[in-house]
Amino acid sequence: ETGVTQTPRHLVMGMTNKKSLKCEQHLGHNAMYWYKQSAKKPLELMFVYNFKEQTENNSVPSRFSPECPNSSHLFLHLHTLQPEDSALYLCASSQALGGRDEKLFFGSGTQLSVL
Amino acid sequence: GNSVTQMEGPVTLSEEAFLTINCTYTATGYPSLFWYVQYPGEGLQLLLKATKADDKGSNKGFEATYRKETTSFHLEKGSVQVSDSAVYFCALSPQAGTALIFGKGTTLSVSS
């Protein structure tokens, strides 16, 4: 148990559906992240929030829409996805953004399948 | 720019064999270096870290030494176990205010 909880663990959706992924941490961390993990590809940083403000968006398509209503919660809203978006989506948090002692705490991920 | 390069996997070993997973980096300044591990069905978790040159990080029998002269941070373990089967990620933290940069990950499979 890392203290970062992601729901749902598994999600199957059609290309026309709208769904949301949820991430929650009660570690008192100020930075939260979304990563995409695809088979045989590097871990891709998607979005970074620091004190609820988005600080990074790594050229992610607009069909992915993040939301960070407070420092404890992070959402990833999905709409009109493509089959190539099927992947494991990981949420992480850290006390601060970057720095010499930064330690990321990861959730177990949401395994997304787009049909 | 900043980047991390890991050896390609998968690495397949027998129990009690010696493990080395190579990691080299490119960075401006003096980054901190990390190894994260991902067990099947789980997210990543920190395995060890080193924050300055010549530091050695260690945990659960794994070790890695921060080598500035060779820009490397190779992961080693003297005797692997089946339970060490996982994906291992090398990462660097370039500076405050910047997210971690991960390598591609190396899959380790240990058989009894």
Side-chain angles (χ1 to χ4, degrees), chain A residues 21-91:
Chain A
L21 309 185
K22 179 182 177 181
C23 176
E24 185 173 357
Q25 59 90 7
H26 295 288
L27 301 169
H29 290 170
N30 298 307
M32 296 189 77
Y33 313 76
W34 280 116
Y35 285 88
K36 176 183 178 183
Q37 186 176 26
S38 305
K40 300 182 180 180
K41 292 181 70 175
L43 201 61
E44 299 175 53
L45 178 64
M46 300 175 71
F47 301 104
V48 181
Y49 278 82
N50 194 31
F51 290 96
K52 302 188 299 179
E53 299 296 320
Q54 187 178 127
T55 60
E56 283 191 50
N57 175 343
N58 285 336
S59 303
V60 180
S62 60
R63 57 185 183 270
F64 294 91
S65 175
E67 178 189 3
C68 188
N70 54 60
S71 292
S72 299
H73 295 87
L74 184 65
F75 295 90
L76 188 62
H77 304 299
L78 317 171
H79 64 98
T80 60
L81 294 191
Q82 305 299 311
E84 60 265 28
D85 297 322
S86 298
L88 181 68
Y89 289 84
L90 292 166
C91 174

Side-chain angles (χ1 to χ4, degrees), chain A residues 95-108:
Chain A
Q95 179 63 46
L97 177 58
R100 307 202 66 75
D101 289 315
E102 176 178 352
K103 176 181 177 180
L104 291 184
F105 291 76
F106 282 84
S108 297

Side-chain angles (χ1 to χ4, degrees), chain B residues 35-88:
Chain B
W35 277 100
Y36 279 78
V37 58
Q38 183 179 30
Y39 298 104
E42 300 182 13
L44 284 71
Q45 56 186 276
L46 180 66
L47 180 60
L48 55 83
K49 69 176 183 181
T51 58
K52 61 183 186 295
D54 300 324
D55 267 3
K56 178 185 285 188
S58 62
N59 186 23
K60 299 181 181 179
F62 291 89
E63 294 183 339
T65 301
Y66 190 147
R67 301 285 189 199
K68 189 170 183 295
E69 63 276 13
T70 54
T71 61
S72 64
F73 192 55
H74 304 322
L75 182 68
E76 296 181 336
K77 186 174 185 181
S79 176
V80 295
Q81 305 299 312
V82 172
S83 57
D84 294 326
S85 298
V87 182
Y88 292 82

